[in-house]
Amino acid sequence: MEHYANQYVMVTVFLLVGIAFPVVVLWVGKRLRPRSPTPEKEIAYESGNDPQGDGQIRFNVRYYLYALMFVVFDVETVFLYPWAVAYKKLGLFALAEMMIFIGMLLIGLIYAWRKKVLQWNSI
Amino acid sequence: MQRFWDDPVSWEAAGRYALVALALLAVVIVFVTYAIYFERKVIGWMQFRQGPNRTGPLGLLQTVADVAKLLVKEDTIPAKADKALFVLAPALAFIPSFTVLAVIPYGLNLPFADLNVGFLYYVALSGVTTIAIVIAGWASNNKYALLGGMRSAAQMISYEVPLVLSVVGVAMLTESLNLRDIVLRQEGYFWHWNVFPQIIGFAVFVVAAVSELNRTPFDLPEAESELVAGYHVEYSGFRFAFFMLAEYVYIYAIACLTTILFLGGWNAPFPQLDFIPGLVWFAFKFALIVFSLFWIRATLPRLRVDQLMGLAWKALLPLALANILLTALGIEWLG
Protein backbone atom coordinates (compact mmCIF):
# COMPACT_ATOMS: atom_id res chain seq x y z
CA MET A 1 0.00 0.00 0.00
CA GLU A 2 2.85 2.33 0.82
CA HIS A 3 4.18 1.88 -2.69
CA TYR A 4 0.84 2.87 -4.10
CA ALA A 5 1.55 6.43 -2.92
CA ASN A 6 4.08 6.65 -5.73
CA GLN A 7 1.24 6.61 -8.23
CA TYR A 8 -0.16 9.76 -6.64
CA VAL A 9 3.29 11.34 -6.87
CA MET A 10 3.35 10.56 -10.55
CA VAL A 11 -0.13 11.96 -11.18
CA THR A 12 0.83 15.11 -9.25
CA VAL A 13 3.99 15.48 -11.32
CA PHE A 14 1.96 15.20 -14.52
CA LEU A 15 -0.51 17.75 -13.23
CA LEU A 16 2.30 20.20 -12.38
CA VAL A 17 3.99 19.74 -15.75
CA GLY A 18 0.58 20.15 -17.40
CA ILE A 19 0.06 23.45 -15.57
CA ALA A 20 3.61 24.67 -16.12
CA PHE A 21 3.54 24.15 -19.89
CA PRO A 22 0.76 26.63 -20.76
CA VAL A 23 2.08 29.12 -18.21
CA VAL A 24 5.59 29.02 -19.65
CA VAL A 25 4.50 29.01 -23.29
CA LEU A 26 2.06 31.88 -22.84
CA TRP A 27 4.71 33.82 -20.91
CA VAL A 28 7.24 33.29 -23.71
CA GLY A 29 4.56 34.16 -26.26
CA LYS A 30 3.88 37.43 -24.47
CA ARG A 31 7.54 38.41 -24.99
CA LEU A 32 7.39 37.56 -28.69
CA ARG A 33 4.07 38.84 -29.92
CA PRO A 34 3.17 42.40 -30.84
CA ARG A 35 0.54 44.27 -28.86
CA SER A 36 -1.33 47.17 -30.41
CA PRO A 37 -4.99 46.96 -29.41
CA THR A 38 -7.50 49.21 -31.11
CA PRO A 39 -11.20 49.52 -30.17
CA GLU A 40 -12.15 47.89 -33.50
CA LYS A 41 -10.09 44.80 -32.77
CA GLU A 42 -11.73 44.35 -29.42
CA ILE A 43 -15.30 44.25 -30.71
CA ALA A 44 -16.94 40.82 -30.53
CA TYR A 45 -16.85 39.07 -33.91
CA GLU A 46 -20.21 38.78 -35.61
CA SER A 47 -19.38 38.05 -39.26
CA GLY A 48 -18.22 41.61 -39.87
CA ASN A 49 -21.39 43.33 -38.62
CA ASP A 50 -21.51 45.44 -35.49
CA PRO A 51 -22.66 43.15 -32.66
CA GLN A 52 -26.35 43.43 -31.89
CA GLY A 53 -27.23 43.49 -28.21
CA ASP A 54 -25.43 41.44 -25.58
CA GLY A 55 -23.25 38.49 -26.39
CA GLN A 56 -24.49 36.39 -23.50
CA ILE A 57 -27.88 35.68 -25.00
CA ARG A 58 -30.58 33.33 -23.77
CA PHE A 59 -30.13 29.85 -25.14
CA ASN A 60 -32.24 26.77 -25.62
CA VAL A 61 -33.54 25.18 -22.40
CA ARG A 62 -32.86 21.78 -23.99
CA TYR A 63 -29.22 22.02 -22.99
CA TYR A 64 -30.39 21.97 -19.39
CA LEU A 65 -32.52 18.87 -19.96
CA TYR A 66 -29.55 17.10 -21.51
CA ALA A 67 -27.47 18.07 -18.52
CA LEU A 68 -30.10 16.52 -16.22
CA MET A 69 -30.13 13.30 -18.27
CA PHE A 70 -26.36 13.25 -18.16
CA VAL A 71 -26.29 13.51 -14.37
CA VAL A 72 -28.75 10.62 -14.05
CA PHE A 73 -26.81 8.29 -16.31
CA ASP A 74 -23.38 9.35 -15.16
CA VAL A 75 -24.30 8.53 -11.58
CA GLU A 76 -25.55 5.20 -12.90
CA THR A 77 -22.09 4.48 -14.31
CA VAL A 78 -20.57 5.27 -10.92
CA PHE A 79 -22.68 2.42 -9.49
CA LEU A 80 -22.04 0.17 -12.48
CA TYR A 81 -18.24 0.20 -12.31
CA PRO A 82 -17.72 -1.36 -8.86
CA TRP A 83 -20.42 -3.87 -9.77
CA ALA A 84 -18.70 -4.69 -13.09
CA VAL A 85 -15.29 -5.16 -11.49
CA ALA A 86 -16.72 -7.53 -8.85
CA TYR A 87 -19.25 -9.20 -11.15
CA LYS A 88 -17.49 -12.55 -11.59
CA LYS A 89 -17.46 -12.98 -7.80
CA LEU A 90 -21.09 -11.89 -7.30
CA GLY A 91 -22.94 -14.06 -9.81
CA LEU A 92 -26.53 -14.15 -11.04
CA PHE A 93 -28.17 -12.48 -8.05
CA ALA A 94 -26.10 -9.34 -8.58
CA LEU A 95 -27.05 -9.42 -12.24
CA ALA A 96 -30.76 -9.46 -11.36
CA GLU A 97 -30.30 -6.59 -8.93
CA MET A 98 -28.40 -4.53 -11.47
CA MET A 99 -30.98 -5.24 -14.16
CA ILE A 100 -33.72 -3.88 -11.86
CA PHE A 101 -31.62 -0.76 -11.28
CA ILE A 102 -30.88 -0.26 -14.99
CA GLY A 103 -34.52 -1.06 -15.77
CA MET A 104 -35.74 1.77 -13.56
CA LEU A 105 -33.39 4.22 -15.27
CA LEU A 106 -34.48 2.87 -18.66
CA ILE A 107 -38.08 3.73 -17.76
CA GLY A 108 -36.84 7.27 -17.19
CA LEU A 109 -35.10 7.25 -20.57
CA ILE A 110 -38.23 5.97 -22.31
CA TYR A 111 -40.32 8.62 -20.52
CA ALA A 112 -37.93 11.35 -21.71
CA TRP A 113 -38.01 9.84 -25.19
CA ARG A 114 -41.84 9.79 -25.30
CA LYS A 115 -41.99 13.34 -23.93
CA LYS A 116 -39.77 14.35 -26.88
CA VAL A 117 -36.98 15.60 -24.64
CA LEU A 118 -34.56 13.90 -27.02
CA GLN A 119 -36.13 15.64 -30.01
CA TRP A 120 -34.02 18.57 -31.10
CA ASN A 121 -36.11 21.27 -32.77
CA SER A 122 -34.01 24.42 -32.93
CA ILE A 123 -30.45 25.60 -32.38
CA MET B 1 10.48 -8.93 -10.43
CA GLN B 2 11.20 -5.43 -9.15
CA ARG B 3 9.18 -2.89 -11.08
CA PHE B 4 9.25 0.89 -10.97
CA TRP B 5 5.85 0.96 -9.26
CA ASP B 6 7.38 -0.81 -6.25
CA ASP B 7 9.91 1.99 -5.71
CA PRO B 8 9.65 3.68 -2.31
CA VAL B 9 8.39 7.26 -2.27
CA SER B 10 11.32 9.67 -2.46
CA TRP B 11 12.34 12.97 -4.02
CA GLU B 12 14.60 11.01 -6.33
CA ALA B 13 11.67 9.00 -7.66
CA ALA B 14 9.61 12.18 -8.02
CA GLY B 15 12.46 13.77 -9.98
CA ARG B 16 12.62 10.74 -12.24
CA TYR B 17 8.87 10.98 -12.84
CA ALA B 18 9.27 14.67 -13.67
CA LEU B 19 11.77 13.70 -16.35
CA VAL B 20 9.33 11.07 -17.62
CA ALA B 21 6.55 13.67 -17.73
CA LEU B 22 8.76 16.14 -19.62
CA ALA B 23 9.85 13.42 -22.06
CA LEU B 24 6.22 12.47 -22.60
CA LEU B 25 5.32 16.13 -23.13
CA ALA B 26 7.98 16.28 -25.85
CA VAL B 27 6.64 13.06 -27.42
CA VAL B 28 3.11 14.43 -27.36
CA ILE B 29 4.15 17.75 -28.93
CA VAL B 30 5.98 15.92 -31.72
CA PHE B 31 2.97 13.63 -32.12
CA VAL B 32 0.59 16.59 -32.40
CA THR B 33 2.87 18.37 -34.88
CA TYR B 34 3.09 15.40 -37.17
CA ALA B 35 -0.47 14.18 -36.61
CA ILE B 36 -1.67 17.49 -38.04
CA TYR B 37 0.74 17.17 -40.97
CA PHE B 38 -0.26 13.53 -41.48
CA GLU B 39 -3.95 14.41 -41.32
CA ARG B 40 -3.58 17.11 -43.96
CA LYS B 41 -1.50 14.82 -46.16
CA VAL B 42 -3.89 11.85 -45.84
CA ILE B 43 -6.96 13.95 -46.51
CA GLY B 44 -5.13 15.62 -49.39
CA TRP B 45 -4.33 12.26 -50.98
CA MET B 46 -7.88 11.03 -50.49
CA GLN B 47 -9.10 14.11 -52.35
CA PHE B 48 -6.48 13.86 -55.13
CA ARG B 49 -4.54 16.81 -53.77
CA GLN B 50 -0.94 17.08 -52.65
CA GLY B 51 -1.48 18.33 -49.13
CA PRO B 52 1.19 20.59 -47.61
CA ASN B 53 4.38 20.27 -49.68
CA ARG B 54 6.13 23.66 -49.71
CA THR B 55 7.49 24.31 -46.21
CA GLY B 56 10.58 22.15 -45.76
CA PRO B 57 11.17 18.83 -47.54
CA LEU B 58 7.78 17.24 -48.41
CA GLY B 59 6.13 19.99 -46.37
CA LEU B 60 7.40 18.41 -43.16
CA LEU B 61 7.91 21.80 -41.51
CA GLN B 62 4.40 23.06 -42.29
CA THR B 63 3.02 22.58 -38.76
CA VAL B 64 6.22 23.91 -37.22
CA ALA B 65 5.75 27.07 -39.28
CA ASP B 66 2.08 27.23 -38.23
CA VAL B 67 3.02 26.97 -34.57
CA ALA B 68 5.70 29.65 -34.93
CA LYS B 69 3.15 31.89 -36.62
CA LEU B 70 0.63 31.38 -33.81
CA LEU B 71 3.31 32.14 -31.25
CA VAL B 72 4.11 35.58 -32.72
CA LYS B 73 0.50 36.51 -33.55
CA GLU B 74 -1.10 39.33 -31.66
CA ASP B 75 -3.34 38.12 -28.87
CA THR B 76 -6.68 39.91 -28.94
CA ILE B 77 -9.03 39.78 -25.99
CA PRO B 78 -12.45 41.30 -26.74
CA ALA B 79 -13.24 44.36 -24.63
CA LYS B 80 -16.50 42.85 -23.36
CA ALA B 81 -14.99 39.47 -22.54
CA ASP B 82 -14.65 38.18 -19.00
CA LYS B 83 -10.85 38.53 -18.91
CA ALA B 84 -9.99 36.10 -16.12
CA LEU B 85 -12.15 33.27 -17.47
CA PHE B 86 -11.12 34.03 -21.06
CA VAL B 87 -7.47 33.56 -20.13
CA LEU B 88 -8.16 30.54 -17.92
CA ALA B 89 -10.18 28.49 -20.44
CA PRO B 90 -7.43 27.44 -22.93
CA ALA B 91 -5.10 26.34 -20.14
CA LEU B 92 -7.95 24.51 -18.39
CA ALA B 93 -8.70 22.67 -21.64
CA PHE B 94 -5.10 21.57 -22.05
CA ILE B 95 -4.12 20.61 -18.48
CA PRO B 96 -6.47 17.60 -18.07
CA SER B 97 -5.67 16.40 -21.59
CA PHE B 98 -2.02 16.06 -20.58
CA THR B 99 -2.68 14.83 -17.04
CA VAL B 100 -4.73 11.84 -18.26
CA LEU B 101 -1.64 10.56 -20.07
CA ALA B 102 -0.08 9.70 -16.70
CA VAL B 103 -2.01 6.41 -16.52
CA ILE B 104 -1.34 5.12 -20.03
CA PRO B 105 0.82 1.95 -19.90
CA TYR B 106 2.88 1.63 -23.09
CA GLY B 107 4.63 -1.48 -21.85
CA LEU B 108 5.70 -3.01 -18.57
CA ASN B 109 9.12 -1.37 -18.62
CA LEU B 110 8.08 2.22 -19.17
CA PRO B 111 6.92 4.19 -16.14
CA PHE B 112 3.29 5.20 -15.81
CA ALA B 113 0.94 5.84 -12.87
CA ASP B 114 -0.38 2.38 -12.05
CA LEU B 115 -3.75 3.56 -10.69
CA ASN B 116 -6.36 0.97 -9.73
CA VAL B 117 -9.04 3.31 -11.06
CA GLY B 118 -7.12 4.07 -14.28
CA PHE B 119 -10.10 4.28 -16.59
CA LEU B 120 -12.25 6.29 -14.18
CA TYR B 121 -9.32 8.68 -13.79
CA TYR B 122 -9.39 9.27 -17.54
CA VAL B 123 -13.16 9.82 -17.58
CA ALA B 124 -13.11 12.15 -14.59
CA LEU B 125 -10.33 14.36 -15.92
CA SER B 126 -11.50 14.48 -19.51
CA GLY B 127 -14.79 15.88 -18.18
CA VAL B 128 -12.91 18.98 -17.01
CA THR B 129 -12.23 19.90 -20.64
CA THR B 130 -15.99 20.18 -21.20
CA ILE B 131 -16.11 22.78 -18.44
CA ALA B 132 -13.25 24.66 -20.10
CA ILE B 133 -15.17 24.74 -23.37
CA VAL B 134 -18.31 26.11 -21.68
CA ILE B 135 -16.15 28.72 -19.92
CA ALA B 136 -14.54 29.70 -23.23
CA GLY B 137 -17.92 30.07 -24.90
CA TRP B 138 -19.35 32.09 -22.04
CA ALA B 139 -16.33 34.30 -21.36
CA SER B 140 -15.99 35.36 -25.00
CA ASN B 141 -19.26 37.31 -24.77
CA ASN B 142 -20.01 36.40 -28.35
CA LYS B 143 -23.19 34.74 -29.64
CA TYR B 144 -21.43 32.26 -31.89
CA ALA B 145 -19.01 31.31 -29.17
CA LEU B 146 -21.77 30.85 -26.62
CA LEU B 147 -23.87 28.66 -28.92
CA GLY B 148 -20.79 26.69 -29.97
CA GLY B 149 -19.78 26.19 -26.36
CA MET B 150 -23.26 25.03 -25.33
CA ARG B 151 -23.53 22.70 -28.30
CA SER B 152 -20.15 21.31 -27.56
CA ALA B 153 -20.95 20.74 -23.90
CA ALA B 154 -24.27 19.08 -24.74
CA GLN B 155 -22.56 16.83 -27.26
CA MET B 156 -19.66 15.91 -25.02
CA ILE B 157 -21.80 15.02 -22.02
CA SER B 158 -24.27 13.12 -24.22
CA TYR B 159 -21.53 10.98 -25.73
CA GLU B 160 -19.67 10.56 -22.49
CA VAL B 161 -22.50 8.35 -21.20
CA PRO B 162 -22.25 5.67 -23.94
CA LEU B 163 -18.44 6.02 -23.94
CA VAL B 164 -18.25 5.19 -20.26
CA LEU B 165 -20.96 2.50 -20.36
CA SER B 166 -19.32 0.72 -23.30
CA VAL B 167 -16.24 0.05 -21.17
CA VAL B 168 -18.29 -1.60 -18.39
CA GLY B 169 -18.19 -4.81 -20.44
CA VAL B 170 -14.40 -4.69 -20.50
CA ALA B 171 -14.34 -4.13 -16.75
CA MET B 172 -16.58 -7.19 -16.28
CA LEU B 173 -14.35 -9.42 -18.40
CA THR B 174 -11.07 -8.24 -16.92
CA GLU B 175 -12.33 -7.64 -13.34
CA SER B 176 -10.30 -4.47 -13.15
CA LEU B 177 -10.16 -0.79 -14.05
CA ASN B 178 -6.39 -0.76 -13.82
CA LEU B 179 -5.19 -0.25 -17.39
CA ARG B 180 -2.13 -2.46 -16.81
CA ASP B 181 -4.31 -5.30 -15.52
CA ILE B 182 -6.68 -4.90 -18.45
CA VAL B 183 -3.81 -5.45 -20.87
CA LEU B 184 -2.38 -8.35 -18.83
CA ARG B 185 -5.80 -10.04 -18.91
CA GLN B 186 -5.67 -9.90 -22.70
CA GLU B 187 -2.27 -11.60 -22.70
CA GLY B 188 -1.97 -13.75 -25.78
CA TYR B 189 -2.85 -13.30 -29.40
CA PHE B 190 -5.60 -11.54 -31.26
CA TRP B 191 -8.32 -14.04 -30.31
CA HIS B 192 -7.68 -13.22 -26.64
CA TRP B 193 -8.30 -9.50 -27.11
CA ASN B 194 -11.41 -7.77 -25.84
CA VAL B 195 -12.37 -6.54 -29.27
CA PHE B 196 -14.07 -9.85 -30.18
CA PRO B 197 -16.11 -10.66 -27.05
CA GLN B 198 -16.83 -6.94 -26.74
CA ILE B 199 -17.54 -6.17 -30.37
CA ILE B 200 -20.69 -4.14 -29.54
CA GLY B 201 -18.84 -2.29 -26.80
CA PHE B 202 -15.98 -1.62 -29.19
CA ALA B 203 -18.29 -0.20 -31.84
CA VAL B 204 -20.09 2.03 -29.32
CA PHE B 205 -16.76 3.12 -27.85
CA VAL B 206 -15.31 4.11 -31.22
CA VAL B 207 -18.38 6.10 -32.31
CA ALA B 208 -18.69 7.82 -28.93
CA ALA B 209 -14.95 8.53 -28.87
CA VAL B 210 -15.02 10.19 -32.31
CA SER B 211 -17.82 12.37 -31.01
CA GLU B 212 -16.04 13.13 -27.74
CA LEU B 213 -13.10 14.33 -29.80
CA ASN B 214 -15.44 16.71 -31.70
CA ARG B 215 -14.21 15.27 -34.97
CA THR B 216 -16.09 14.85 -38.25
CA PRO B 217 -18.82 13.57 -38.65
CA PHE B 218 -19.57 14.96 -35.17
CA ASP B 219 -17.72 18.28 -35.39
CA LEU B 220 -20.81 20.45 -34.96
CA PRO B 221 -19.36 22.56 -32.14
CA GLU B 222 -16.87 24.01 -34.57
CA ALA B 223 -18.99 23.86 -37.70
CA GLU B 224 -17.31 26.60 -39.75
CA SER B 225 -20.27 27.14 -42.03
CA GLU B 226 -22.82 27.52 -39.22
CA LEU B 227 -21.10 28.88 -36.15
CA VAL B 228 -17.98 30.43 -37.72
CA ALA B 229 -15.67 28.47 -35.42
CA GLY B 230 -17.75 27.74 -32.36
CA TYR B 231 -16.45 28.26 -28.86
CA HIS B 232 -12.98 29.46 -29.91
CA VAL B 233 -14.08 32.11 -32.42
CA GLU B 234 -12.71 34.98 -30.28
CA TYR B 235 -9.42 33.26 -29.51
CA SER B 236 -6.28 34.14 -31.42
CA GLY B 237 -2.61 33.35 -31.25
CA PHE B 238 -1.39 30.81 -28.77
CA ARG B 239 -4.58 30.70 -26.72
CA PHE B 240 -6.28 29.29 -29.79
CA ALA B 241 -3.35 26.92 -30.21
CA PHE B 242 -4.01 25.46 -26.77
CA PHE B 243 -7.55 24.43 -27.76
CA MET B 244 -6.11 22.80 -30.88
CA LEU B 245 -3.39 21.16 -28.82
CA ALA B 246 -5.91 19.80 -26.29
CA GLU B 247 -7.96 18.34 -29.12
CA TYR B 248 -4.99 16.49 -30.58
CA VAL B 249 -3.70 15.35 -27.21
CA TYR B 250 -7.11 13.77 -26.67
CA ILE B 251 -6.74 12.00 -30.00
CA TYR B 252 -3.49 10.62 -28.63
CA ALA B 253 -5.18 9.60 -25.36
CA ILE B 254 -8.20 7.98 -27.02
CA ALA B 255 -6.01 6.08 -29.49
CA CYS B 256 -3.94 4.77 -26.56
CA LEU B 257 -7.09 3.85 -24.62
CA THR B 258 -8.65 1.98 -27.55
CA THR B 259 -5.40 0.06 -27.96
CA ILE B 260 -5.33 -0.82 -24.27
CA LEU B 261 -8.99 -1.57 -23.65
CA PHE B 262 -9.85 -3.47 -26.80
CA LEU B 263 -6.80 -4.25 -28.92
CA GLY B 264 -4.58 -6.01 -26.41
CA GLY B 265 -2.14 -3.17 -25.71
CA TRP B 266 1.41 -4.28 -26.36
CA ASN B 267 0.57 -7.93 -27.20
CA ALA B 268 1.48 -9.30 -30.62
CA PRO B 269 -1.41 -10.60 -32.76
CA PHE B 270 0.28 -13.90 -33.76
CA PRO B 271 2.74 -16.17 -31.92
CA GLN B 272 5.09 -15.96 -34.93
CA LEU B 273 5.38 -12.19 -34.46
CA ASP B 274 6.43 -12.32 -30.80
CA PHE B 275 10.00 -11.30 -31.64
CA ILE B 276 8.86 -7.73 -32.38
CA PRO B 277 8.98 -5.70 -29.14
CA GLY B 278 5.70 -4.80 -27.43
CA LEU B 279 6.27 -1.08 -27.77
CA VAL B 280 6.35 -1.45 -31.56
CA TRP B 281 3.02 -3.28 -31.46
CA PHE B 282 1.56 -0.61 -29.26
CA ALA B 283 2.75 2.10 -31.64
CA PHE B 284 1.44 0.18 -34.64
CA LYS B 285 -2.08 -0.27 -33.22
CA PHE B 286 -2.02 3.33 -32.03
CA ALA B 287 -1.07 4.57 -35.52
CA LEU B 288 -3.79 2.43 -37.07
CA ILE B 289 -6.45 4.08 -34.88
CA VAL B 290 -5.13 7.57 -35.54
CA PHE B 291 -5.18 6.87 -39.28
CA SER B 292 -8.76 5.55 -39.01
CA LEU B 293 -9.83 8.78 -37.33
CA PHE B 294 -8.43 10.81 -40.25
CA TRP B 295 -9.94 8.39 -42.73
CA ILE B 296 -13.38 8.84 -41.14
CA ARG B 297 -12.94 12.59 -41.39
CA ALA B 298 -12.16 12.38 -45.09
CA THR B 299 -15.10 10.05 -45.78
CA LEU B 300 -18.19 11.11 -43.85
CA PRO B 301 -20.19 14.35 -44.04
CA ARG B 302 -21.27 16.21 -40.92
CA LEU B 303 -24.43 15.15 -39.07
CA ARG B 304 -27.36 17.43 -38.33
CA VAL B 305 -27.61 18.53 -34.72
CA ASP B 306 -30.90 16.68 -34.07
CA GLN B 307 -29.49 13.46 -35.54
CA LEU B 308 -26.41 13.91 -33.39
CA MET B 309 -28.26 13.96 -30.09
CA GLY B 310 -30.66 11.25 -31.22
CA LEU B 311 -27.75 8.94 -32.03
CA ALA B 312 -26.26 9.27 -28.55
CA TRP B 313 -29.43 8.74 -26.53
CA LYS B 314 -31.60 6.57 -28.79
CA ALA B 315 -29.01 4.29 -30.36
CA LEU B 316 -25.69 4.22 -28.52
CA LEU B 317 -27.03 4.29 -24.95
CA PRO B 318 -29.46 1.33 -25.40
CA LEU B 319 -26.71 -0.54 -27.29
CA ALA B 320 -24.22 0.04 -24.49
CA LEU B 321 -26.75 -1.17 -21.89
CA ALA B 322 -27.57 -4.23 -24.01
CA ASN B 323 -23.86 -4.93 -24.22
CA ILE B 324 -23.64 -5.01 -20.41
CA LEU B 325 -26.52 -7.51 -20.23
CA LEU B 326 -25.05 -9.68 -23.01
CA THR B 327 -21.62 -9.64 -21.36
CA ALA B 328 -23.16 -10.69 -18.04
CA LEU B 329 -25.09 -13.53 -19.66
CA GLY B 330 -22.00 -14.54 -21.62
CA ILE B 331 -19.98 -14.76 -18.41
CA GLU B 332 -22.75 -16.87 -16.79
CA TRP B 333 -23.08 -19.32 -19.67
CA LEU B 334 -19.55 -19.54 -21.02
CA GLY B 335 -17.70 -19.02 -17.74
Side-chain angles (χ1 to χ4, degrees):
Chain A
M1 196 56 220
E2 191 198 321
H3 301 314
Y4 197 71
N6 246 347
Q7 319 312 327
Y8 297 123
V9 173
M10 187 133 184
V11 168
T12 315
V13 164
F14 267 75
L15 181 64
L16 293 179
V17 171
I19 294 172
F21 181 67
V23 171
V24 168
V25 170
L26 289 173
W27 182 82
V28 169
K30 203 171 182 177
R31 300 287 164 283
L32 291 175
R33 65 190 173 220
R35 187 176 144 70
S36 55
T38 63
E40 286 77 22
K41 278 183 196 165
E42 294 187 338
I43 299 175
Y45 176 71
E46 227 170 276
S47 305
N49 300 325
D50 284 339
Q52 299 291 315
D54 197 18
Q56 287 164 349
I57 48 172
R58 288 200 271 176
F59 48 84
N60 202 330
V61 68
R62 258 165 225 294
Y63 293 114
Y64 180 65
L65 293 176
Y66 278 106
L68 276 183
M69 297 269 293
F70 167 73
V71 170
V72 171
F73 281 92
D74 221 37
V75 172
E76 178 188 2
T77 58
V78 172
F79 287 114
L80 266 171
Y81 268 104
W83 172 82
V85 170
Y87 178 70
K88 282 189 181 172
K89 298 182 195 81
L90 298 175
L92 263 182
F93 186 66
L95 175 63
E97 283 181 322
M98 192 44 85
M99 283 306 128
I100 293 168
F101 178 59
I102 293 178
M104 288 196 290
L105 289 171
L106 267 183
I107 293 171
L109 179 68
I110 293 166
Y111 178 75
W113 195 328
R114 298 284 300 167
K115 282 283 175 189
K116 299 203 165 57
V117 170
L118 306 177
Q119 199 93 47
W120 197 278
N121 47 20
S122 74
I123 52 171
Chain B
M1 191 177 162
Q2 184 75 14
R3 295 286 193 187
F4 63 89
W5 56 76
D6 294 323
D7 291 347
V9 179
S10 67
W11 283 107
E12 193 203 333
R16 223 169 32 238
Y17 296 154
L19 289 181
V20 168
L22 287 172
L24 190 65
L25 182 65
V27 168
V28 167
I29 301 278
V30 170
F31 163 79
V32 172
T33 308
Y34 284 96
I36 294 173
Y37 168 78
F38 182 60
E39 176 171 16
R40 294 176 64 179
K41 267 300 198 205
V42 165
I43 292 176
W45 288 327
M46 286 183 182
Q47 297 168 343
F48 295 105
R49 293 185 288 115
Q50 286 285 318
N53 67 347
R54 293 300 160 99
T55 322
L58 301 170
L60 277 168
L61 296 176
Q62 181 64 50
T63 321
V64 180
D66 288 345
V67 171
K69 185 204 77 171
L70 284 172
L71 198 59
V72 295
K73 272 271 172 184
E74 185 179 349
D75 175 49
T76 315
I77 300 179
K80 280 186 165 178
D82 186 330
K83 288 240 162 46
L85 289 180
F86 190 87
V87 171
L88 174 72
L92 194 61
F94 169 76
I95 293 164
S97 75
F98 180 71
T99 313
V100 293
L101 300 181
V103 287
I104 306 283
Y106 305 95
L108 285 175
N109 299 316
L110 290 170
F112 55 90
D114 188 41
L115 291 187
N116 284 340
V117 290
F119 183 70
L120 279 185
Y121 170 85
Y122 172 82
V123 172
L125 277 181
S126 64
V128 176
T129 298
T130 316
I131 299 174
I133 286 172
V134 177
I135 291 178
W138 180 258
S140 300
N141 208 335
N142 176 308
K143 295 180 190 99
Y144 294 122
L146 180 64
L147 286 176
M150 290 321 263
R151 262 194 194 190
S152 184
Q155 176 182 345
M156 286 171 94
I157 62 175
S158 292
Y159 279 87
E160 196 171 309
V161 173
L163 182 85
V164 177
L165 285 179
S166 64
V167 181
V168 171
V170 172
M172 289 166 81
L173 285 181
T174 54
E175 295 179 84
S176 180
L177 287 175
N178 182 324
L179 295 177
R180 172 174 59 98
D181 274 356
I182 289 177
V183 178
L184 290 178
R185 281 304 185 97
Q186 302 175 69
E187 189 104 74
Y189 308 102
F190 75 89
W191 54 90
H192 293 112
W193 297 351
N194 282 332
V195 60
F196 295 108
Q198 285 297 316
I199 190 76
I200 303 174
F202 179 67
V204 173
F205 183 85
V206 169
V207 175
V210 173
S211 189
E212 275 286 292
L213 296 170
N214 285 341
R215 293 190 64 79
T216 340
F218 306 106
D219 63 341
L220 286 108
E222 30 195 288
E224 311 88 336
S225 45
E226 303 169 40
L227 286 171
V228 193
Y231 59 88
H232 51 55
V233 61
E234 289 292 359
Y235 282 88
S236 55
F238 228 72
R239 297 190 204 285
F240 164 75
F242 269 106
F243 282 116
M244 242 15 218
L245 188 60
E247 199 177 310
Y248 278 85
V249 177
Y250 273 118
I251 290 180
Y252 179 94
I254 281 283
C256 287
L257 268 185
T258 318
T259 306
I260 289 161
L261 294 173
F262 293 101
L263 299 178
W266 53 82
N267 291 311
F270 296 105
Q272 291 82 354
L273 293 172
D274 265 341
F275 64 92
I276 299 175
L279 196 60
V280 175
W281 281 116
F282 193 97
F284 178 71
K285 293 170 191 173
F286 170 84
L288 199 69
I289 293 159
V290 172
F291 171 73
S292 308
L293 285 173
F294 298 160
W295 188 9
I296 291 170
R297 174 171 166 193
T299 310
L300 297 174
R302 185 180 298 139
L303 260 71
R304 288 205 320 260
V305 69
D306 57 324
Q307 294 169 331
L308 176 87
M309 290 305 183
L311 182 66
W313 292 101
K314 295 175 186 171
L316 293 183
L317 178 60
L319 264 179
L321 290 174
N323 178 52
I324 295 171
L325 180 63
L326 287 176
T327 310
L329 293 178
I331 289 173
E332 289 306 326
W333 286 330
L334 308 171

